[in-house]
Amino acid sequence: MMIGVLVTFTQTDKFDRSTLAKIASELRAPFEGMAGLRFKSFMLDEDGVHARNFYLWDDEEKARAFFTAEIVDKVTGIYGVPPKIEYLDIVGLVDNSGA
């Protein structure tokens, strides 16, 4: 069973896209090859006030274990605001990455 995790950071002002791209670049390496993590994306909404990270995990236990108080504190420092973390039951998936 796969689980999705949507992590949302909301600013009153807009996030700077180049700053978020730099964060994504700098934080990419620790996630590469992470056990149980199928993929992670770093996203910015059109309005610019919502930065979102989406994780797709192969294992719910690993997904929930990852988001510790220490991780939440760390990303709050990086993004400047605390995240909202939502766990999503993945009931279907289309994956064209191997096509």
Side-chain angles (χ1 to χ4, degrees):
M1 178 173 107
M2 288 183 292
I3 184 168
V5 182
L6 182 61
V7 179
T8 303
F9 303 91
T10 303
Q11 290 266 30
T12 52
D13 296 324
K14 291 185 176 189
F15 281 100
D16 177 66
R17 187 184 190 290
S18 62
T19 300
L20 291 180
K22 183 178 180 199
I23 290 169
S25 176
E26 291 173 354
L27 295 181
R28 177 186 180 119
F31 294 100
E32 292 176 339
M34 183 178 282
L37 180 65
R38 186 174 290 197
F39 70 76
K40 177 185 177 172
S41 62
F42 297 85
M43 303 174 289
L44 178 62
D45 279 2
E46 267 185 321
D47 62 10
V49 299
H50 302 285
R52 291 193 170 109
N53 296 336
F54 182 73
Y55 302 73
L56 182 62
W57 296 84
D58 290 325
D59 182 301
E60 182 175 352
E61 189 175 306
K62 286 181 180 161
R64 290 186 182 275
F66 177 75
F67 293 97
T68 63
E70 292 80 19
I71 289 291
V72 171
D73 286 346
K74 181 178 179 177
V75 298
T76 298
I78 292 169
Y79 286 86
V81 292
K84 176 182 178 186
I85 301 172
E86 300 173 79
Y87 294 90
L88 309 164
D89 183 9
I90 303 297
V91 297
L93 177 71
V94 175
D95 184 355
N96 292 324
S97 61

